[in-house]
Amino acid sequence: STQSTWGAFVLFAMQKLRDLADSLTAPLPVDVSRRVRALKFLQHQRDALEKQFEAERLALEARFELLYSPLYHKRASIVKGEYEPVDEELAPEVAASGAATTATAATTTTTHSSAPPPAATTAAPATTTATATTNSSAPAVPVRGIPSFWLHAMNNHQIIGDDINDKDSKILEHLIDIRYENLPENTGFRLFFDFSPNEFMAETQLVKTYVGRSMDSEDATLEKCTGTQITWTPGSNPTIKTVTKTVKARGGRGGRGGGAKRQVTETVKIPSFFNFFQPPSLNDAGDDDSDEEHDDPEEAMEDDYTKGMMFKKMIIPKAVDWFTGDASLSDDEEDEDEEEDDDDDDDDDSDDDAGGKPKAKKISLKSMDGAKIDVDSDSDDEEFKPKKNTKKGGKPDTSKPPEGCKQQ
């Protein structure tokens, strides 16, 4: 009857599956096997060429880094007002209508900054005066370099600009240069943020360092990151704020009677660009002071590295284009980032559904040049073994490793 028919169908299906398994594991005919070995030989040759290509690419990039360096140095001198460019050093469109071009750039501000726009000329040296006023009888105002150059460049970047609050803007007006250097043996890179002396912090240089293995290749693995411990002057820290809450004390025995109300003051962490120098760690899971945007510390590290690469690959090389608003993130890059986020969420769901102790995994990160980079959560020294995952639950506390990202 129906039951026997169903049983026969199940047996038939199981036999088909066994036959399929046997066909997949059966040895190849001798002639076919030889051809596969030939393909393997060709693959080895191709892999050897790829290694040669990577070595030559790194050497070529290192050679051109030396050629970029004097250009970045002169750019910094112009921005700081230490050097006045001559007419031969002006780009044609700037020489023809420099005031109009820069006026447009000066009005390209965002809601993240309360800083005034830069002066109405991009070639304002320390010895030049500008009459940026509607009253022709007003005295000339001396302008040194290009005020707030890096603040406006960062504000015009859709992702970096989102991190800048009003208090950050006042501090970033003193940012006079951003640069980077690659670490030896392709082990990472370091970002330098130079500031003029100011009333907000003791340091005049902040440093962010990313260290890993094969960092400029498809097999890149991020091992740790560090940031400068900033010494803020009283009341200047833009990453925190003080809030006052009214709490009600407990009543007497048995819960009878209402307790007296009292004011409690506490310090809470808030979004700020300068959180960039307080790198996330996989130990941050469950920490009340951890990044509010990320429940998953691996996600926070991925976001942090991506921003570091944006400075290295986008903002530093094309700073003037970000300043004038000529540069922007492409829609394709934003769509790809969204697709990667969806894929990561699906992977997390699969891990949770499996139950039990999760396997340490590598989180794929997309660098600005299209390569992939992994956050190594299963390194030999256990720097990145997850403490616990609070994003979707189901991940137990496995260990107490040393912090992978820390302040220096």
Side-chain angles (χ1 to χ4, degrees):
S1 63
T2 304
Q3 185 174 4
S4 61
T5 303
W6 176 250
F9 173 77
V10 172
L11 292 174
F12 175 78
M14 292 178 63
Q15 183 60 46
K16 285 294 185 183
L17 289 175
R18 282 194 290 268
D19 293 342
L20 177 60
D22 291 341
S23 66
L24 293 176
T25 58
L28 295 172
V30 176
D31 291 343
V32 176
S33 179
R34 290 183 73 257
R35 294 165 192 147
V36 171
R37 289 173 58 194
L39 297 183
K40 284 287 188 180
F41 181 72
L42 293 174
Q43 183 65 46
H44 293 162
Q45 291 179 306
R46 190 268 177 199
D47 293 343
L49 289 173
E50 183 178 28
K51 289 183 179 180
Q52 179 183 348
F53 165 75
E54 287 296 330
E56 294 185 9
R57 180 180 65 84
L58 291 175
L60 183 64
E61 288 183 353
R63 183 165 69 88
F64 272 85
E65 289 293 343
L66 296 177
L67 299 177
Y68 296 150
S69 181
L71 302 179
Y72 293 155
H73 180 74
K74 179 171 284 189
R75 179 179 68 187
S77 298
I78 294 174
V79 169
K80 290 184 284 187
E82 299 172 349
Y83 175 78
E84 170 64 12
V86 297
D87 291 344
E88 291 75 11
E89 295 176 309
L90 303 183
E93 59 271 21
V94 176
S97 57
T101 300
T102 309
T104 302
T107 58
T108 310
T109 57
T110 69
T111 58
H112 311 294
S113 172
S114 59
T121 172
T122 59
T127 58
T128 299
T129 58
T131 56
T133 170
T134 56
N135 187 354
S136 58
S137 62
V141 179
V143 178
R144 181 179 179 86
I146 307 179
S148 303
F149 175 83
W150 289 102
L151 169 60
H152 286 281
M154 292 164 60
N155 258 331
N156 284 336
H157 189 284
Q158 293 90 319
I159 294 178
I160 301 300
D162 280 343
D163 292 337
I164 299 175
N165 62 37
D166 289 342
K167 203 168 184 179
D168 292 337
S169 296
K170 294 295 183 183
I171 303 169
L172 291 172
E173 288 178 1
H174 297 274
L175 180 60
I176 55 178
D177 194 25
I178 308 176
R179 50 197 171 86
Y180 73 89
E181 68 175 11
N182 291 317
L183 300 182
E185 304 298 328
N186 195 22
T187 55
F189 64 95
R190 186 176 287 119
L191 297 170
F192 299 91
F193 296 78
D194 296 331
F195 291 80
S196 59
N198 59 83
E199 69 272 27
F200 302 104
M201 57 186 176
E203 293 78 14
T204 56
Q205 184 180 87
L206 304 182
V207 183
K208 184 68 175 287
T209 305
Y210 296 91
V211 179
R213 301 188 299 271
S214 303
M215 289 291 282
D216 213 2
S217 71
E218 293 183 357
D219 299 324
T221 300
L222 177 64
E223 293 181 335
K224 67 177 180 179
C225 54
T226 58
T228 298
Q229 176 74 48
I230 303 175
T231 307
W232 298 107
T233 58
S236 297
N237 191 342
T239 69
I240 59 174
K241 71 175 180 179
T242 302
V243 296
T244 302
K245 297 181 180 180
T246 301
V247 297
K248 188 175 182 181
R250 293 182 179 179
R253 290 185 178 180
R256 296 186 220 170
K261 294 182 178 179
R262 60 191 179 92
Q263 299 288 327
V264 176
T265 301
E266 62 182 23
T267 300
V268 297
K269 189 173 181 179
I270 61 174
S272 165
F273 165 74
F274 289 94
N275 287 326
F276 182 66
F277 299 97
Q278 302 175 19
S281 165
L282 288 178
N283 292 332
D284 290 340
D287 187 352
D288 292 338
D289 294 330
S290 62
D291 191 347
E292 295 179 358
E293 293 185 14
H294 304 98
D295 293 329
D296 185 351
E298 290 180 346
E299 180 184 335
M301 289 186 63
E302 176 181 341
D303 184 60
D304 181 87
Y305 174 81
T306 300
K307 290 176 181 177
M309 288 298 293
M310 286 177 176
F311 277 106
K312 181 183 178 183
K313 296 289 187 179
M314 293 182 176
I315 295 179
I316 294 176
K318 295 184 178 294
V320 68
D321 291 337
W322 289 105
F323 172 77
T324 60
D326 292 328
S328 65
L329 293 175
S330 69
D331 294 335
D332 291 341
E333 287 171 340
E334 294 175 353
D335 292 341
E336 288 174 1
D337 289 340
E338 291 176 1
E339 290 175 3
E340 284 196 358
D341 290 340
D342 293 340
D343 291 341
D344 290 341
D345 291 340
D346 293 341
D347 292 340
D348 291 341
D349 292 337
S350 299
D351 291 339
D352 295 338
D353 293 341
K357 183 178 179 179
K359 295 181 180 179
K361 63 179 181 177
K362 290 184 177 180
I363 303 300
S364 178
L365 299 177
K366 183 178 179 185
S367 68
M368 298 303 101
D369 56 0
K372 295 286 184 177
I373 185 164
D374 297 325
V375 172
D376 189 352
S377 60
D378 193 21
S379 57
D380 294 338
D381 55 5
E382 295 189 352
E383 282 187 346
F384 285 86
K385 189 172 289 183
K387 179 178 178 182
K388 68 178 180 177
N389 187 307
T390 59
K391 185 176 182 181
K392 295 177 182 285
K395 290 194 175 184
D397 187 354
T398 59
S399 65
K400 255 189 175 178
E403 290 188 0
C405 288
K406 61 185 178 181
Q407 290 180 300
Q408 59 187 14

